[in-house]
Amino acid sequence: NTVMTQSPTSMFTSVGDRVTMSCKASQNVGINVGWYQQKTGQSPKRLIYWASNRDTGVPDRFTGSGSGTDFTLTISNMQAEDPAIYYCLQHNSYPYTFGAGTKLELK
Amino acid sequence: EVQLVESGGGLVKPGSSLKLSCVASGFTFSSYGMHWIRQAPKKGLEWIALIYYDSSNKYYADSVKGRFTISRDNSKNTLYLEMNSLRSEDTAMYYCAKGPHWGQGTLVTVSS
């Protein structure tokens, strides 16, 4: 099975910061990666599909990039509503697998 | 507006069975594959099953293969997850999902 390793596990940021988090796949998954945001007490919400495509209504401060085994989610200008856990998901091969998440908090 | 509404969760004993439902609206249900994903308390997300739009293919996570069965009734716009031989480690919030859309989840607690 494909293992998705996310880093860092957690991070503290400030409003206005540029934030970068990583997701590494244990084997080539092409661009078959999505990024999900889960705020406390809410269902997850998909932000990015096919590694770099923003879902409808997602602010353009969220950018996904990468292919193969290395993927990145960048928030260009951290906002007060962005603290959450961010998960990557590979859907290149079965079983689909999520990373363990990166918890993003405000200082 | 796409809506996914799960139901059927509850408190059950180890070894028992439970069937979850997910009623879909706002899109042509019969044209899309559907997923079940779960989240144990204070843990991360775990993908557990996918069913193609026409039920022709079904895929499962290793952790549930042979115990859980995903199915759908396109005439009722409903997705199902039949869970047998439940274990304490199956305790989780269960979500159905289609693309970017997720339901609110239904909680399954397996405890004696």
Side-chain angles (χ1 to χ4, degrees):
Chain A
N1 297 346
T2 302
V3 176
M4 303 296 281
T5 302
Q6 289 188 244
S7 61
T9 302
S10 65
M11 57 192 306
F12 287 87
T13 66
S14 300
V15 172
D17 279 356
R18 179 182 178 87
V19 175
T20 299
M21 61 189 75
S22 168
C23 181
K24 292 186 184 296
S26 62
Q27 58 190 287
N28 190 335
V29 295
I31 59 168
N32 298 300
V33 166
W35 287 93
Y36 294 77
Q37 176 193 62
Q38 187 177 31
K39 296 182 180 180
T40 303
Q42 297 185 16
S43 300
K45 170 188 174 182
R46 195 177 72 182
L47 302 175
I48 302 288
Y49 63 97
W50 300 120
S52 61
N53 294 272
R54 221 173 278 118
D55 271 289
T56 302
V58 173
D60 61 8
R61 65 180 180 273
F62 291 93
T63 302
S65 62
S67 66
T69 59
D70 292 328
F71 301 87
T72 300
L73 177 68
T74 300
I75 307 173
S76 60
N77 178 14
M78 180 75 179
Q79 297 297 299
E81 62 265 31
D82 296 337
I85 301 176
Y86 292 84
Y87 296 94
C88 59
L89 166 73
Q90 71 79 21
H91 54 93
N92 181 68
S93 62
Y94 300 110
Y96 293 176
T97 44
F98 284 94
T102 291
K103 186 174 184 179
L104 185 59
E105 299 176 276
L106 283 174
K107 289 177 186 172
Chain B
E1 178 194 4
V2 172
Q3 282 202 314
L4 299 169
V5 180
E6 301 93 338
S7 63
L11 173 62
V12 296
K13 295 188 186 316
S16 60
S17 300
L18 201 60
K19 188 171 185 176
L20 307 182
S21 300
C22 168
V23 176
S25 60
F27 65 102
T28 305
F29 180 74
S30 58
S31 296
Y32 292 90
M34 296 291 296
H35 302 261
W36 285 102
I37 296 152
R38 69 183 180 183
Q39 186 170 35
K42 300 197 181 303
K43 298 294 186 183
L45 301 171
E46 180 186 16
W47 176 88
I48 56 172
L50 160 70
I51 185 169
Y52 277 20
Y53 70 100
D54 60 354
S55 301
S56 59
N57 286 287
K58 304 174 184 181
Y59 299 94
Y60 299 92
D62 295 344
S63 59
V64 305
K65 198 176 298 182
R67 298 188 300 124
F68 290 11
T69 302
I70 189 172
S71 63
R72 63 192 298 159
D73 184 338
N74 286 343
S75 69
K76 295 182 178 178
N77 285 357
T78 303
L79 175 72
Y80 301 102
L81 185 69
E82 186 157 12
M83 306 184 295
N84 297 318
S85 303
L86 283 161
R87 307 165 180 168
S88 58
E89 55 263 37
D90 296 317
T91 293
M93 185 72 78
Y94 285 74
Y95 299 99
C96 65
K98 170 252 177 204
H101 306 288
W102 293 51
Q104 288 305 299
T106 187
L107 182 62
V108 173
T109 303
V110 183
S111 175
S112 54

